[in-house]
Amino acid sequence: MIRLDNVTVELGGNPILDGVNTEIRDGRFVGLVGPNGAGKTTLLRAIHGVLKPNSGVVELDGDPVSALSSREASRRVAVVPQDTTLSFDFPVEEVVAMGRHPYRTRFSGPTGDDADRERVRAAMERTEVGHLADRSIAAVSGGERQRVLLARALAQDAPALLLDEPTASLDINHQVRTLELVRELVDDDGKTVVAAIHDLNLAAHYCDELRLLAGGGIRASGDPEAVLAEDHLEAAFDTRAVVSSHPVTGSTYVTALPERASDREGRVHVVGGGGTVSRLLYLLSAAGYEVSVGALNEGDSDLETARSLGLDAVTEEPFAPVGDAARREVESRVREADATVLGDVEVGAGNLANLRAAREADSMVVVEERPFDERNYAGSEAAALYGELCERGRVVGPDDLLSAVVEAVAASDESPPPRAE
Ligand SMILES: Nc1ncnc2c1ncn2[C@@H]1O[C@H](COP(=O)(O)OP(=O)(O)OP(=O)(O)O)[C@@H](O)[C@H]1O
């Protein structure tokens, strides 16, 4: 258990943490989130004792960290720092072996005994840096260096890990792999992890709990859904955000709204279904557009979202194919709209008419929420159209939706209205 009791830290005469109280229970993965300069790194440094608070106490398993020798503290918590530039020129394997330092006696060699070497090897394997063992730490990339330092922390074999921006210089693949590994360390090895994480959506997906830091204190604490509430985010980050759940993973998902986003004018029709466009409906209506959606079957979760937002929805009977009446209504909505958003490309052949219309009209935006699995549609007209739209930059991810809609609305003044079915 890590416990902070009324911890106050001043740096350069400025209060950075002001009377912070929190507890981190064993076996939990806790994310520290908050704006730049909120004190996430400072909090981590206070936990492992390199920074002595001006007042208050940090306890590790009931002992004040200030009363532990650095060797003892290192056996209880291992740290992966944010600044991964190392000024020395050691082979990667020796850097990882430094993690064994708290266990060394004065008789161990530079790489320790066999048990030490085995732990170092296992840590390098787990973080996928084994192939770099003999390479100088000065000659690996920033992302590789970050994984080497994670290996060093694992080799340290402490029950708690403190990670400062563990995914900061990693590509998207390694971000996910690193956080999957951290999750595994918590679930399978029983580690306790406290990690400063900038990306709110990664934090929401992987952490058990979050602490939102801002203005010198913890502004919200608890499970990700409770912490990442729109009012908390607006207060902490001074920006408006829409919080919904991710259509594929179901995790809490935050999308920051661009400045003055709620002043947007125009009509946008959304084609979707099955929960694929709920988040887009939130975003577009929060941005100020007049949004219609459909056709959606009664009982569809996108329809529930549309109704909760008070949107105009074209509906069809439960489980029924779209009939002529609904189709005509959709066509008229699309004609009246300044932009149409297709949020459901995965349907493939069922979306053929829409994909054809998107090829013809610049005012149609195709949003890819989840990767299109071409294998399901190999050789089909839908796959070919989709590929063509991708090539022309007409398929956007959800984070680029708003700017694509702004462009599409502008383009609608210049192009004839599209057809959609
Ligand atoms: N040695 C120092 N002297 C004076 N001020 C400092 C010192 N170290 C950090 N600070 C200030 O303390 C504040 C908190 O810094 P900290 O690195 O803990 O924030 P953070 O939440 O980790 O930020 P980021 O998200 O940018 O990494 C910042 O305003 C920083 O400028």
Side-chain angles (χ1 to χ4, degrees):
M1 159 97 84
I2 298 169
R3 205 167 77 84
L4 280 81
D5 184 8
N6 214 9
V7 168
T8 293
V9 175
E10 284 179 15
L11 293 172
N14 299 314
I16 308 297
L17 300 177
D18 188 8
V20 167
N21 295 296
T22 196
E23 280 185 0
I24 288 144
R25 283 178 289 139
D26 290 345
R28 305 289 282 173
F29 180 3
V30 175
L32 304 179
V33 295
N36 288 130
K40 303 178 292 291
T41 301
T42 305
L43 189 65
L44 291 173
R45 297 180 77 219
I47 293 175
H48 72 100
V50 291
L51 187 74
K52 198 171 156 358
N54 296 67
S55 62
V57 181
V58 177
E59 284 180 3
L60 299 177
D61 299 325
D63 298 318
V65 68
S66 55
L68 301 175
S69 66
S70 67
R71 197 176 165 91
E72 182 53 35
S74 303
R75 289 182 183 201
R76 298 192 193 191
V77 284
V79 181
V80 179
Q82 184 176 30
D83 183 4
T84 58
T85 39
L86 296 174
S87 51
F88 48 79
D89 187 13
F90 284 126
V92 160
E93 187 168 10
E94 278 185 38
V95 173
V96 179
M98 287 171 195
R100 300 303 300 159
H101 190 72
Y103 304 93
R104 293 279 166 69
T105 64
R106 59 204 171 89
F107 304 111
S108 340
T111 54
D113 59 20
D114 286 349
D116 286 327
R117 276 189 288 274
E118 175 49 29
R119 284 195 186 278
V120 167
R121 194 199 56 74
M124 294 208 303
E125 195 172 300
R126 244 175 143 174
T127 51
E128 301 176 56
V129 295
H131 63 291
L132 302 172
D134 300 326
R135 184 100 62 87
S136 160
I137 188 70
V140 300
S141 77
E144 288 165 344
R145 191 152 45 228
Q146 214 157 10
R147 285 186 285 135
V148 170
L149 292 183
L150 181 59
R152 182 178 71 177
L154 290 188
Q156 202 171 318
D157 204 26
L161 279 174
L162 307 181
L163 312 175
D164 199 352
E165 292 295 342
T167 55
S169 4
L170 302 184
D171 62 50
I172 186 147
N173 170 32
H174 282 103
Q175 284 182 3
V176 169
R177 277 157 79 157
T178 298
L179 290 172
E180 297 276 345
L181 169 62
V182 173
R183 200 53 265 173
E184 197 182 291
L185 293 167
V186 173
D187 292 339
D188 301 348
D189 301 26
K191 302 256 190 217
T192 308
V193 174
V194 187
I197 301 180
H198 259 121
D199 187 314
L200 298 175
N201 295 320
L202 284 177
H205 186 61
Y206 287 102
C207 297
D208 298 308
E209 298 169 40
L210 300 179
R211 305 285 182 272
L212 174 61
L213 268 78
I218 293 181
R219 294 288 156 242
S221 168
D223 64 39
E225 198 183 345
V227 170
L228 299 178
E230 285 166 16
D231 51 344
H232 293 158
L233 295 173
E234 185 158 4
F237 290 93
D238 195 22
T239 188
R240 284 193 56 218
V242 174
V243 180
S244 54
S245 62
H246 192 279
V248 179
T249 65
S251 300
T252 301
Y253 198 92
V254 176
T255 312
L257 289 175
E259 193 92 343
R260 294 180 62 245
S262 54
D263 297 350
R264 303 284 178 216
E265 275 179 20
R267 297 170 82 120
V268 179
H269 184 77
V270 177
V271 179
T276 52
V277 292
S278 286
R279 183 151 58 101
L280 308 186
L281 296 177
Y282 276 116
L283 257 183
L284 290 166
S285 53
Y289 288 110
E290 197 179 322
V291 181
S292 59
V293 59
L296 294 172
N297 292 102
E298 288 294 342
D300 191 300
S301 59
D302 283 334
L303 184 55
E304 283 168 36
T305 305
R307 289 199 169 127
S308 73
L309 294 168
L311 306 183
D312 166 29
V314 177
T315 60
E316 185 50 272
E317 298 290 310
F319 305 111
V322 179
D324 286 343
R327 196 189 324 274
R328 277 194 296 275
E329 279 196 57
V330 170
E331 280 173 3
S332 89
R333 299 292 192 292
V334 168
R335 263 195 307 277
E336 286 161 21
D338 300 295
T340 299
V341 173
L342 300 182
D344 196 13
V345 292
E346 185 70 22
V347 181
N351 242 340
L352 203 49
N354 287 323
L355 290 168
R356 283 184 191 141
R359 181 177 53 186
E360 304 310 321
D362 287 340
S363 61
M364 294 192 90
V365 176
V366 181
V367 180
E368 186 179 49
E369 285 271 355
R370 50 190 163 178
F372 179 77
D373 190 348
E374 292 204 31
R375 282 167 309 179
N376 295 340
Y377 309 107
S380 70
E381 187 188 348
L385 278 169
Y386 176 79
E388 189 188 326
L389 289 166
C390 284
E391 244 168 58
R392 283 164 50 194
R394 299 282 307 285
V395 179
V396 299
D399 292 338
D400 295 321
L401 169 74
L402 279 179
S403 45
V405 167
V406 170
E407 272 177 37
V409 168
S412 76
D413 297 337
E414 293 147 28
S415 70
R419 273 169 43 82
E421 286 174 29

